[in-house]
Amino acid sequence: MANLPELFGSMVFNDRKMEERLPHATYKALKRTIKNGEPLDLSVANAVANAMKEWAVEMGCTHYTHWFQPMTGVTAEKHDSFIYPASDGQVIMEFSGKELIKGEPDASSFPSGGIRATFEARGYTTWDPTSPAFIRDKTLYIPTAFCSYTGEVLDKKTPLLRSMEKLSSVAVDVLHLLGKTDVTRVTTTVGPEQEYFLIDKSMYDKRPDIIYTGRTLFGAPAPKGQELEDHYFGSIKTRVSAFMADLDEELWKLGVMAKTKHNEVAPSQHELAPIFATSNIATDHNELTMEVMKKTAEKHGLVCLLHEKPFAGVNGSGKHNNWSISTNTGENLLDPGKNPEENLQFQLFLAAVVKAVHEYQDLLRLTVASAGNDHRLGANEAPPAIISMYLGDDLGALVDSIINGEEYHSAGKTNMLTGVDVLPDFRKDTSDRNRTSPFAFTGNKFEFRALGSSLNIGCPNYMLNTMVAEELAQFRDELSGAEDINATIKDIVKKTLTEHRNIIFNGDNYSDEWVEEAARRGLCNYRSLPEAMAHFIDKKNVDLFTKNGIITEQEIYSRYEIELEMYSKQLHIEALTMIDMAEKNITPAVIAFVNSLSNAALAKKSLGAYSIYAETSLIEELSDTLEKFVKKTDELKAAVEAAAQYEGLELAMYYRKTVFELMNELRALGDAMETKTSAKYWPYPSYGEILFGV
Ligand code: ADP
Ligand code: MG
C-alpha cells in the first residue's frame, strides 16, 4: 500500500484538488456554496465541470454518472461517456457545467408511489456540491439529488439536505438569541457503525433463499451458535482480515474514514465504523461503504450479507446512528461541558431532543421499520420496538435535579472508579452500560441504535433533524421576546423535561416489565412495519414535514405507499421462494431419503436381521412431518394467492399476520426434517457449514 495520507481520498475530487485545479475566484465561489449554501452560477459550474473532467480523464476515466438515491433503498447510476463529436469523425472529451448540474435519467421505473404517472417519465438529477465527486471503475461519480419534472422529491437525499438547512437556520437563530452571534451555520454530524455478515461464495450459490431474499428461509440451528460469546471482538481470521484490509484501502481511496473494524457477536458477523462526517456526506459514504463491501467480498470469494436477519437463532445486523449537532465555530451543541448544571445552552438543546423523541417516537420507529428489521426489533438482540431514551447516570441526575429543583451532583465526580485524572470530568458513557436502549446519550452525541443494517441512513436522519428543528423553533419563538433570557431558558427546560420525562428510561429495555411500564407511560409499541407505517400519515406528522418545508403531503403519501408496497413485495418474494424450495428440493429430498431407508429396511429384513427399528422409526417420524410440511406448503400457496384481494396497508397487514405466520410454521417443519435427514440428501448447505465456513 502506498503511504496512507497519500492514498486517502486519492479517488476523490476533494478540497485540495479543487484548490489546485480551479481558478482562485471559482474555487472561492464553490466554497461559499458548499459552506453557506449560496447558489452557484453557470460560469462557476462550467469551470468546475472542466476541472473535474480533466482530473477524471487523467485518472483514466471515460464516463461520468449522476449518482442518486431513489426510493428503492439502493443507489442508482446511469453512465454517460465524456465523448463529444469533433470535426472529421473524431471525438474530444467534454463535460459542461450543464451536464454537471443536471442529469435526466428516465424516472419511470423508479418507485414514486403514484406521484409521477409513467407518461411523465422525466426525472432530474441535480448536483449536490456539498458531497464531493469521486472515481470508481473508471467512472466519475457525481452525488446528486433526484426529483420529478414537476419538482416532487423522488429520493432520500433531498429531504436530508432540506432538514439540515432547516435545523441550521433555527439553531443559528437560537444561538444568536443566546449571544453567540459569530455562529453562522450549524451542521448535524453522523457516524454510522455498520454490521454485516461474510459467507463463502460457494455456500451462497447453493442457497436460493439468500440469493433471492438476502436471508435464510430454512435452516436448522448449528450445534454451535454464539453462546460461547467467543466471536465478539475475537481474533480475525486470515481470509476475513485480507477482506477487511482491502475494504479499508478501497474506502480510504474514496475518502471514507473507515476507522474501526472488529468481529461482532454472531459467527461470521463483523462491523465497520467510520469517523463521523456531516449527515449528508455520512449518508453518501455509508451507501458507498455498503456497495464497496459487496464488491470487495466478491474479489475474495465471499459474499457480504447486509440483510438485518440472515440467520435465525443468532444475532442479526444493525446500524448505530451516532448523531450530534455542531456549529461552524467548532462547538458541539450536545457536549455538556464540565458543568452541565450551569450550561443552559446545552440544557436547551437537550430539552429539544427529549421533546422531539417523545412527540415523534412513532416517526423514529417507522423510519427504521423494514421487512428485515422486523426480525430484530423486539427480539432481544436489538433495541425493542418501543422508542425511549437513555441518558445515563450523569445526565439522568441532572434532569432529575432540574425537574425537582434540587442541587445537582454528577455521578461522574463522586464516583471515580479508576482514579485516573485524564478521564473527562463529565463521564463519557460507554455504550455497554446500556446496550438495550434504542436512543442513548453517549457523552456528546446520541446513538440511535434501532436502524437495520441495510437502511439508507438519510431517512432516519432527515426525520430526526426535522423534529429537533421543530422543537427548537418553538423554543426560539418563546425566547425571542424574553426579557430575562436565562430565566426563560430555565423555565423552558424545566417545563419541557417535566412534560416529557416519560420518554426517558435508564433500565433494561429487554425486560417484560418495561413493555408493561411503557404501556402505562403511553409510549408506542409497534411491532412491525405495517403497524408503524400506518402512522406516517397521521396529521401531526404530516404537519411536521409540511410546515418545515421538508416534503409535501403528496410526497408523504407516496413514501407511505412505497414503503408498504415494498414490504408486501418482499414478503411475497420470500413466500414464493419458500414454496419453491419446499416443492422442488426439500420434499423430494426427504422422499428420497425415506425411500432409501425403506430399501435398507427391506434389504435387512430379507437378510433376516432381527431389528429394523432405526429405519422404521425415522421413516415414521419423517413421513409424519413431511405430510404436515406438504399440507403447510399448500396452505401458504393458497394464502399467497388470496393476497390479491387486498391492497395498501391492508395488504401489508395481511402479509404480516397471515403469510408471515405460515412461513414461520412451514420453516419449523422444514427445520425439524433437516435435523433428521441425512446430510447427503439434504439439498442445502447447513447453518454450520455457512456460519463457520469462512
Ligand atoms: P463508542 O460507541 O464505542 O463509544 P465512539 O465514541 O468512538 O465509540 O463513537 C462511535 C461512532 O460515533 C464513531 O463513528 C464516531 O465517529 C461517532 N461520533 C463520535 N463523535 C461524534 C459526533 N460528535 N457526531 C456524530 N458522530 C460521532
Ligand atoms: Mg455503538
Side-chain angles (χ1 to χ4, degrees):
M1 198 199 299
N3 94 34
L4 180 47
E6 232 171 79
L7 184 90
F8 187 83
S10 57
M11 292 296 175
V12 185
F13 195 65
N14 56 17
D15 193 55
R16 206 182 38 176
K17 290 190 192 89
M18 285 191 242
E19 192 169 12
E20 273 169 23
R21 288 167 178 267
L22 288 171
H24 190 66
T26 311
Y27 172 71
K28 284 280 175 211
L30 182 60
K31 286 295 276 188
R32 280 197 299 276
T33 300
I34 295 172
K35 276 200 151 158
N36 312 328
E38 283 178 24
L40 195 86
D41 67 57
L42 191 63
S43 69
V44 173
N46 276 326
V48 176
N50 192 52
M52 263 188 196
K53 179 211 70 186
E54 273 177 8
W55 170 69
V57 170
E58 276 168 36
M59 299 289 288
C61 290
T62 51
H63 287 70
Y64 70 93
T65 180
H66 276 199
W67 185 63
F68 57 106
Q69 299 171 27
M71 297 305 296
T72 50
V74 286
T75 57
E77 50 196 74
K78 175 185 142 210
H79 296 213
D80 282 297
S81 71
F82 287 123
I83 62 167
Y84 216 78
S87 56
D88 53 19
Q90 301 290 305
V91 291
I92 50 168
M93 302 293 254
E94 269 289 308
F95 186 47
S96 69
K98 259 195 187 147
E99 288 170 306
L100 168 63
I101 290 179
K102 197 177 86 178
E104 208 175 321
D106 182 341
S108 59
S109 298
F110 290 105
S112 75
I115 275 193
R116 187 189 19 62
T118 359
F119 58 83
E120 186 43 279
R122 263 190 292 177
Y124 289 112
T125 47
T126 34
W127 177 37
D128 167 16
T130 62
S131 182
F134 55 90
I135 293 174
R136 283 183 74 195
D137 302 330
K138 305 222 177 295
T139 300
L140 175 69
Y141 278 69
I142 299 154
T144 58
F146 183 43
C147 63
S148 79
Y149 178 60
T150 40
E152 284 97 0
V153 179
L154 297 175
D155 71 349
K156 307 206 171 201
K157 175 176 268 227
T158 311
L160 178 65
L161 292 174
R162 287 180 180 168
S163 74
M164 291 172 72
E165 284 294 321
K166 186 74 204 179
L167 184 56
S168 175
S169 80
V170 179
V172 167
D173 287 351
V174 169
L175 291 168
H176 285 187
L177 286 167
L178 268 58
K180 295 227 166 121
T181 45
D182 54 335
V183 175
T184 54
R185 200 165 172 81
V186 163
T187 24
T188 49
T189 49
V190 171
E193 302 165 56
Q194 177 72 47
E195 291 181 338
Y196 60 97
F197 279 84
L198 281 181
I199 64 169
D200 193 276
K201 174 79 164 62
S202 65
M203 298 291 154
Y204 171 85
D205 287 338
K206 292 182 194 137
R207 295 286 317 206
D209 43 2
I210 307 183
I211 293 173
Y212 296 136
T213 72
R215 73 179 183 104
T216 52
L217 299 168
F218 289 104
K224 178 178 162 140
Q226 63 191 41
E227 57 284 271
L228 295 178
E229 296 172 336
D230 53 354
H231 196 254
Y232 189 58
F233 279 40
S235 89
I236 300 170
K237 286 182 185 162
T238 320
R239 213 172 145 197
V240 174
S241 184
F243 159 85
M244 286 177 169
D246 215 5
L247 174 65
D248 275 344
E249 197 174 321
E250 284 305 310
L251 291 175
W252 289 334
K253 282 192 215 162
L254 291 167
V256 178
M257 296 207 199
K259 170 88 175 158
T260 310
K261 50 188 182 185
H262 60 80
N263 285 349
E264 259 300 327
V265 172
S268 284
Q269 192 185 30
H270 315 280
E271 182 183 293
L272 180 143
I275 294 174
F276 68 94
T278 65
S279 303
N280 180 32
I281 290 178
T283 303
D284 285 358
H285 279 181
N286 184 246
E287 291 296 306
L288 259 182
T289 299
M290 293 192 284
E291 286 173 29
V292 175
M293 276 178 169
K294 288 191 202 159
K295 284 254 161 85
T296 308
E298 271 173 38
K299 284 196 235 156
H300 291 256
L302 300 164
V303 175
C304 171
L305 305 181
L306 292 168
H307 192 282
E308 283 74 16
K309 192 72 180 178
F311 304 98
V314 296
N315 276 10
S317 301
K319 191 135 63 185
H320 288 177
N321 191 83
N322 295 275
W323 172 89
S324 194
I325 323 173
S326 4
T327 65
N328 62 322
T329 52
E331 189 182 2
N332 179 345
L333 297 170
L334 295 179
D335 189 341
K338 287 191 171 177
N339 300 303
E341 69 278 19
E342 286 159 21
N343 188 344
L344 294 183
Q345 178 190 302
F346 166 73
Q347 292 178 18
L348 191 69
F349 280 90
L350 173 71
V353 179
V354 170
K355 184 166 187 270
V357 175
H358 192 212
E359 288 182 345
Y360 298 103
Q361 51 183 293
D362 48 351
L363 282 179
L364 289 175
R365 170 63 185 94
L366 70 89
T367 189
V368 299
S370 69
N373 216 20
D374 278 1
H375 295 280
R376 300 176 63 242
L377 300 181
N380 279 18
E381 58 163 66
I386 305 162
I387 301 289
S388 69
M389 277 172 108
Y390 170 76
L391 295 182
D393 295 342
D394 292 320
L395 263 198
L398 175 67
V399 167
D400 287 343
S401 75
I402 292 172
I403 292 174
N404 303 324
E406 288 161 358
E407 210 184 316
Y408 162 71
H409 298 285
S410 158
K413 283 175 194 158
T414 54
N415 188 17
M416 284 297 282
L417 290 174
T418 59
V420 180
D421 285 341
V422 293
L423 290 180
D425 289 347
F426 190 86
R427 208 168 29 157
K428 185 175 179 295
D429 252 298
T430 47
S431 52
D432 50 345
R433 294 196 55 233
N434 192 329
R435 284 157 71 77
T436 68
S437 176
F439 203 96
F441 184 74
T442 49
N444 58 5
K445 60 186 187 292
F446 279 97
E447 185 168 356
F448 185 22
R449 299 191 178 124
L451 285 70
S453 46
S454 66
L455 190 72
N456 180 311
I457 63 170
C459 292
N461 283 296
Y462 90 73
M463 294 203 179
L464 186 54
N465 294 344
T466 308
M467 59 184 79
V468 173
E470 168 63 30
E471 311 300 4
L472 276 177
Q474 292 174 16
F475 293 174
R476 174 197 57 196
D477 296 346
E478 270 184 69
L479 288 171
S480 56
E483 266 170 33
D484 182 341
I485 195 109
N486 284 352
T488 314
I489 295 177
K490 282 184 189 165
D491 287 347
I492 293 176
V493 170
K494 181 167 180 173
K495 178 168 171 281
T496 306
L497 293 177
T498 309
E499 280 174 14
H500 298 284
R501 66 194 305 182
N502 267 350
I503 195 70
I504 299 168
F505 178 62
N506 288 336
D508 179 3
N509 282 257
Y510 293 169
S511 69
D512 295 334
E513 295 81 60
W514 170 234
V515 177
E516 288 161 28
E517 165 69 14
R520 274 195 297 277
R521 293 188 188 191
L523 302 181
C524 316
N525 185 3
Y526 304 130
R527 315 234 12 175
S528 66
L529 179 137
E531 283 169 84
M533 203 53 68
H535 296 279
F536 198 0
I537 54 175
D538 286 355
K539 181 168 184 314
K540 146 184 101 76
N541 296 333
V542 173
D543 286 350
L544 173 74
F545 293 119
T546 52
K547 183 183 153 203
N548 286 288
I550 309 299
I551 39 176
T552 64
E553 184 162 1
Q554 194 196 8
E555 285 159 1
I556 293 170
Y557 273 88
S558 97
R559 265 150 219 263
Y560 162 81
E561 279 178 13
I562 290 170
E563 291 293 341
L564 290 171
E565 196 181 310
M566 293 209 301
Y567 175 86
S568 299
K569 281 183 180 162
Q570 206 154 338
L571 263 69
H572 184 75
I573 294 169
E574 288 187 356
L576 293 186
T577 305
M578 275 193 109
I579 293 166
D580 197 65
M581 291 171 80
E583 293 189 328
K584 297 223 178 83
N585 291 87
I586 296 178
T587 297
V590 176
I591 290 175
F593 180 52
V594 168
N595 187 41
S596 81
L597 290 170
S598 313
N599 289 341
L602 284 174
K604 269 166 97 176
K605 263 229 139 134
S606 70
L607 292 171
Y610 69 94
S611 171
I612 51 168
Y613 171 79
E615 291 82 0
T616 48
S617 64
L618 259 181
I619 290 170
E620 223 163 277
E621 191 178 341
L622 278 172
S623 305
D624 188 48
T625 315
L626 185 61
E627 187 181 320
K628 292 184 191 138
F629 184 76
V630 169
K631 285 180 178 160
K632 195 58 81 184
T633 308
D634 289 342
E635 244 184 278
L636 179 59
K637 262 168 112 169
V640 170
E641 273 163 31
Q645 59 188 301
Y646 305 105
E647 56 179 39
L649 182 60
E650 250 190 356
L651 179 65
M653 290 279 193
Y654 173 78
Y655 269 106
R656 171 70 187 186
K657 294 224 162 89
T658 307
V659 177
F660 183 70
E661 282 313 313
L662 286 170
M663 283 166 54
N664 287 340
E665 288 163 27
L666 183 65
R667 176 182 184 140
L669 294 166
D671 293 356
M673 294 195 297
E674 183 184 346
T675 61
K676 293 284 171 188
T677 301
S678 155
K680 251 171 62 190
Y681 283 81
W682 196 257
Y684 303 115
S686 69
Y687 263 32
E689 288 169 303
I690 306 172
L691 283 169
F692 297 92
V694 172

